[in-house]
Amino acid sequence: MEASKVIHAIYTDDDVLMAAVKKVSSAHHHIEEIFTPFPVHGLDKAMGLAPTRIAITSFLYGCVGLAVSIWMMNYIMIEDWPQDIGGKPSFSFIENMPAFVPIMFELTVFFAAHLMVITFYLRSRLWPFKKAENPDPRTTDDHFLMEISVNNNEKELTDLLRETGAVEINLINKAH
């Protein structure tokens, strides 16, 4: 197992963290990860992360839900067991489309929501009984942690992080 060094810089304010991220990024240091107790607006752009493709998967999952609902209603109400309900005979899917729209909408939303949750958990590698990967428990309460990779530049990085307002700076040996 290969070990690498990282610096953990702790901040107590999200605005100070945001300014620090911009300063560290502009100095061309690689920020491995940032741990925060709540979402910080604009942090992804400040870190230079690529935009998410989650909306595309949501749309595709909604399309799957719509297709399943159309197939299901056509099979159940038209092909398998057509019934005259309220004087409205079920001879074709198109004739009964207005009655099917709420079901189509609900299954579209159902599939998109449930499959998005499953995708999020798989993509984030979250599953039952997984050990937390949080390096400092204070980041679940009121502290912010920036993890920066070190390449024989500890002194330069430490000085830069002190300038940005870090309240605590720790050099950590991290196993991969």
Side-chain angles (χ1 to χ4, degrees):
M1 224 195 263
E2 182 183 326
S4 61
K5 290 183 179 179
V6 294
I7 286 183
H8 286 175
I10 308 265
Y11 296 88
T12 55
D13 184 74
D14 57 329
D15 293 328
V16 175
L17 171 76
M18 184 64 80
V21 167
K22 290 175 182 174
K23 194 167 188 174
V24 169
S25 293
S26 67
H28 304 292
H29 294 290
H30 178 65
I31 299 172
E32 293 285 335
E33 188 66 77
I34 296 181
F35 298 89
T36 64
F38 54 83
V40 178
H41 181 69
L43 191 57
D44 53 342
K45 284 187 180 178
M47 287 178 65
L49 297 177
T52 180
R53 297 182 303 262
I54 202 100
I56 297 168
T57 59
S58 181
F59 176 75
L60 293 174
Y61 294 154
C63 289
V64 169
L66 180 64
V68 167
S69 69
I70 290 170
W71 172 82
M72 180 189 75
M73 289 181 299
N74 187 58
Y75 178 74
I76 293 170
M77 299 299 292
I78 307 300
E79 294 175 19
D80 186 43
W81 195 359
Q83 296 180 43
D84 188 343
I85 301 172
K88 298 176 184 175
S90 297
F91 296 130
S92 75
F93 184 83
I94 298 300
E95 288 176 336
N96 292 288
M97 179 81 104
F100 294 159
V101 168
I103 299 165
M104 291 163 46
F105 171 77
E106 291 298 332
L107 279 178
T108 299
V109 172
F110 179 87
F111 270 69
H114 286 79
L115 291 174
M116 285 300 298
V117 168
I118 292 168
T119 300
F120 171 76
Y121 284 142
L122 291 174
R123 181 69 180 93
S124 301
R125 296 187 185 103
L126 293 173
W127 42 78
F129 313 110
K130 183 178 191 286
K131 186 179 178 294
E133 295 177 7
N134 193 346
D136 192 325
R138 294 177 292 176
T139 61
T140 63
D141 186 21
D142 61 351
H143 286 66
F144 303 85
L145 186 143
M146 184 188 324
E147 185 176 279
I148 307 156
S149 57
V150 176
N151 300 313
N152 297 322
N153 57 352
E154 296 97 5
K155 175 83 171 102
E156 175 193 342
L157 257 173
T158 304
D159 293 342
L160 176 65
L161 292 169
R162 276 203 185 90
E163 286 175 26
T164 64
V167 295
E168 187 180 319
I169 300 170
N170 302 313
L171 183 64
I172 307 289
N173 286 324
K174 186 177 178 182
H176 287 291

